[in-house]
Amino acid sequence: MQRMSAMNRKLIQNLAETLCKQVKHFNKTETECLIRLFNGLLGEQAERRAAHGLDRVRFRNILHNTFGMTDDMMMDNVFRAFDKDNDTYISVKEWVEGLSVFLRGTLDEKIKFCFDVYNLHGDGYISREEMLQMLKDSLIRQPTEEDPDEGIKDIVEIALKKMDYDHDGKVSYSDFEKTVKDENLLLEAFGNCLPDAKSTLAFEQHAFQELHGH
């Protein structure tokens, strides 16, 4: 058993060394902590699934319990943005890469991440229909409104007017990038898909607690 854990430690160190060269924002020790956290989460999954990586259910639990996300559609979209190879599981590399942007990304990286989350059909554009779908899910409906969809349609038209620089009726990546660089507050215009400062801090304190001597 002792030998096994020493071997595991060595494997984790080697993996961390490789990953921290490929991923920005985490040093080797932090990467090791994230790999250990990932392995711990895998341990809670059925063995058959754990071989592939983190499944959607386990990942959504983290988004909900740790980062306070409640919108089903948004959580699925964040899962999709992390799951770069679309195999419906998050590998250890996708976990570390995704968290590096999710927790510590630059504005450019976060713009790319949010665009990937909002681009539901993966066609490189955010369409009117996609905006409608996302805003419908994320806006709280007032019971007094006669037709809540009408209000959302108005918001979509305002968003398009503001973001659609080339007037083709949809928002491309460069439209989205220009808009957000002009007005940073519009980064999460179509729903919360990034953690707030408080939950980022809480997650990092938990993940990196041994580094801070707790």
Side-chain angles (χ1 to χ4, degrees):
M1 189 66 199
Q2 204 54 45
R3 218 169 116 232
M4 182 62 189
S5 66
M7 192 176 91
N8 262 351
R9 207 164 34 244
K10 193 75 195 131
L11 285 174
I12 288 173
Q13 283 171 351
N14 291 346
L15 181 58
E17 202 152 318
T18 309
L19 283 179
C20 76
K21 285 177 188 148
Q22 299 167 357
V23 174
K24 292 185 197 163
H25 312 309
F26 294 129
N27 63 32
K28 182 172 175 253
T29 324
E30 288 170 334
T31 306
E32 272 182 49
C33 291
L34 291 174
I35 295 168
R36 275 202 292 275
L37 186 61
F38 179 84
N39 289 345
L41 291 163
L42 278 193
E44 298 167 17
Q45 273 181 195
E47 208 166 299
R48 188 174 50 80
R49 291 180 152 189
H52 301 285
L54 272 187
D55 64 16
R56 186 185 298 264
V57 173
R58 183 72 46 208
F59 187 73
R60 280 179 52 136
N61 285 348
I62 298 163
L63 292 179
H64 179 66
N65 300 331
T66 310
F67 297 109
M69 292 192 181
T70 51
D71 182 334
D72 281 335
M73 184 192 213
M74 227 19 93
M75 288 193 279
D76 279 343
N77 297 346
V78 170
F79 177 86
R80 204 172 28 79
F82 267 69
D83 179 23
K84 291 273 193 286
D85 62 3
N86 296 321
D87 69 347
T88 71
Y89 288 96
I90 290 171
S91 69
V92 68
K93 183 171 190 278
E94 288 169 338
W95 165 253
V96 176
E97 277 180 348
L99 285 176
S100 118
V101 174
F102 197 63
L103 300 170
R104 298 182 175 181
T106 61
L107 180 62
D108 284 330
E109 288 169 333
K110 286 182 172 173
I111 290 172
K112 171 88 176 70
F113 178 82
C114 290
F115 185 82
D116 287 346
V117 168
Y118 299 149
N119 173 22
L120 303 182
H121 300 133
D123 57 359
Y125 294 95
I126 307 171
S127 67
R128 201 181 239 104
E129 292 68 36
E130 286 170 329
M131 291 180 199
L132 204 55
Q133 216 178 334
M134 289 184 286
L135 289 171
K136 230 183 208 170
D137 267 20
S138 65
L139 292 174
I140 314 276
R141 301 192 171 189
Q142 300 302 324
T144 50
E145 285 181 51
E146 280 169 25
D147 182 3
D149 285 2
E150 276 314 304
I152 293 169
K153 280 178 188 152
D154 292 345
I155 295 170
V156 167
E157 291 314 315
I158 292 165
L160 268 173
K161 198 171 272 174
K162 194 164 189 57
M163 293 184 169
D164 180 17
Y165 281 87
D166 52 7
H167 307 296
D168 60 354
K170 52 195 176 181
V171 173
S172 67
Y173 178 68
S174 75
D175 288 338
F176 187 69
E177 186 181 32
K178 270 192 201 126
T179 307
V180 176
K181 288 204 163 170
D182 268 358
E183 245 175 277
N184 293 177
L185 285 174
L186 292 171
L187 179 64
E188 294 180 86
F190 304 114
N192 293 345
C193 58
L194 286 165
D196 60 21
K198 191 175 164 211
S199 51
T200 297
L201 187 66
F203 177 86
E204 291 203 3
Q205 278 177 338
H206 166 66
F208 306 139
Q209 57 192 338
E210 62 206 69
L211 304 184
H212 306 305
H214 296 310

